[in-house]
Amino acid sequence: MSSSNGKVHSETCNGGNANKPFKIFVGYDSREDIAYQVCRNSILKRSSIPIEIIPIIQSDLRKSGLYWRERGQVESTEFSFTRFLTPYLANYEGWAVFVDCDFLYLADVKELRDLADDRYAVMCVHHDYTPKESTKMDGAVQTVYPRKNWSSMVLYNCGHPKNRVLTPEVVNTQTGAFLHRFQWLEDDDIGSIPCVWNFLEGHNKALENDSMTFPKAIHYTRGGPWFEAWKNCEFADLWVKEMEEYMNEAKKNIDE
């Protein structure tokens, strides 16, 4: 939740029952606080299950000694590598989600959680994606590599033995290829989930009047409406509407 000093912290929505909350780790970038707030809000308001939303904040991880990696030239966000600490931060227990902050959820995360299959160490959308743009967001370099965007939204089976490889030491020292391409796993360890849960704005297409192809979570991977250059991107109206709802609710809470 945001406060006047810009700090964020985890937030739990109990959804009316005493079940252990489903943990959702969201990559946080100080340049994109509003993207994080809108993403969080879109998850919270639609969830019918107990959830805990936890921002992965690089500066906090550095202070706690969990992250010391020097930032590379091709890292477009502050969570390019910290995302892989998700199983560690979840104490290697249960299932959890990591998601980039530039997402807008349009469906209940219970549907996503229900896809979890214990046969797999991770599950994600198996994108075949080669970006056309050379830059994204606020001018960050757009890199191209195999399995691009697979790691942008991942269901982690945190208790799976193979995910114990993802220690702070490994996350701080291994290559981008090793981490983003899930090279600590065999291909059979990587389950697939429907594209609608990581729907790439500007790349994936929703067929008219076809609910099966309409996004459940939109990923503004090129850049979202919070950047001037992308204010007219596809589905910008949905993000702006969600942002306005968040701002109005935040203002109401302050006034009260």
Side-chain angles (χ1 to χ4, degrees):
M1 180 180 293
S2 181
S3 63
S4 58
N5 60 13
K7 291 183 179 179
V8 292
H9 57 78
S10 66
E11 178 163 351
T12 302
C13 173
N14 286 321
N17 64 63
N19 292 341
K20 195 170 183 178
F22 181 46
K23 292 184 177 181
I24 302 171
F25 293 86
V26 182
Y28 182 81
D29 192 302
S30 55
R31 300 166 304 164
E32 300 182 84
D33 177 75
I34 189 60
Y36 167 80
Q37 302 297 348
V38 172
C39 176
R40 178 190 64 82
N41 192 67
S42 71
I43 296 169
L44 280 173
K45 81 177 205 179
R46 294 174 175 85
S47 179
S48 64
I49 59 173
I51 60 173
E52 182 179 6
I53 297 180
I54 305 156
I56 293 184
I57 305 173
Q58 187 185 123
S59 59
D60 288 352
L61 294 171
R62 288 188 182 279
K63 289 175 185 175
S64 61
L66 295 176
Y67 193 71
W68 57 89
R69 186 176 190 131
E70 291 187 13
R71 183 159 184 172
Q73 292 183 341
V74 297
E75 291 180 50
S76 60
T77 67
E78 294 171 11
F79 49 86
S80 291
F81 288 102
T82 56
R83 69 184 70 217
F84 299 105
L85 289 169
T86 293
Y88 174 87
L89 295 173
N91 298 314
Y92 301 110
E93 295 175 351
W95 283 84
V97 168
F98 170 83
V99 62
D100 287 5
C101 65
D102 54 356
F103 270 66
L104 176 69
Y105 277 78
L106 303 176
D108 187 346
V109 290
K110 178 183 183 299
E111 296 178 39
L112 180 61
R113 185 203 64 178
D114 289 349
L115 295 174
D117 186 331
D118 287 334
R119 291 178 298 172
Y120 302 111
V122 302
M123 300 180 71
C124 62
V125 176
H126 292 190
H127 287 296
D128 181 10
Y129 174 62
T130 302
K132 299 174 184 177
E133 301 82 13
S134 60
T135 60
K136 63 178 181 177
M137 297 190 298
D138 56 349
V141 174
Q142 179 71 275
T143 55
V144 179
Y145 52 86
R147 295 182 173 176
K148 185 171 178 64
N149 269 310
W150 287 31
S151 64
S152 59
M153 203 283 294
V154 182
L155 263 171
Y156 279 97
N157 185 356
C158 299
H160 194 285
K162 290 188 177 182
N163 285 331
R164 288 192 170 270
V165 167
L166 296 177
T167 62
E169 179 70 26
V170 165
V171 173
N172 279 281
T173 58
Q174 268 292 353
T175 65
F178 178 86
L179 294 166
H180 284 282
R181 301 179 198 176
F182 304 113
Q183 289 181 350
W184 72 93
L185 302 172
E186 301 297 326
D187 288 354
D188 290 345
D189 298 322
I190 307 170
S192 178
I193 60 177
C195 175
V196 291
W197 285 107
N198 188 349
F199 187 98
L200 304 179
E201 179 277 328
H203 175 71
N204 296 128
K205 299 298 179 186
L207 301 178
E208 190 172 359
N209 299 321
D210 183 359
S211 60
M212 296 295 290
T213 62
F214 193 80
K216 294 180 182 289
I218 300 169
H219 184 188
Y220 298 90
T221 183
R222 301 184 302 167
W226 55 96
F227 291 120
E228 179 65 24
W230 298 100
K231 66 181 182 180
N232 295 317
C233 66
E234 191 177 10
F235 299 111
D237 56 330
L238 296 182
W239 188 91
V240 170
K241 180 182 178 183
E242 192 81 27
M243 184 268 291
E244 290 173 345
E245 288 181 12
Y246 160 72
M247 297 293 284
N248 289 336
E249 187 66 26
K251 183 178 184 300
K252 185 168 69 174
N253 290 338
I254 292 173
D255 291 342
E256 291 175 352

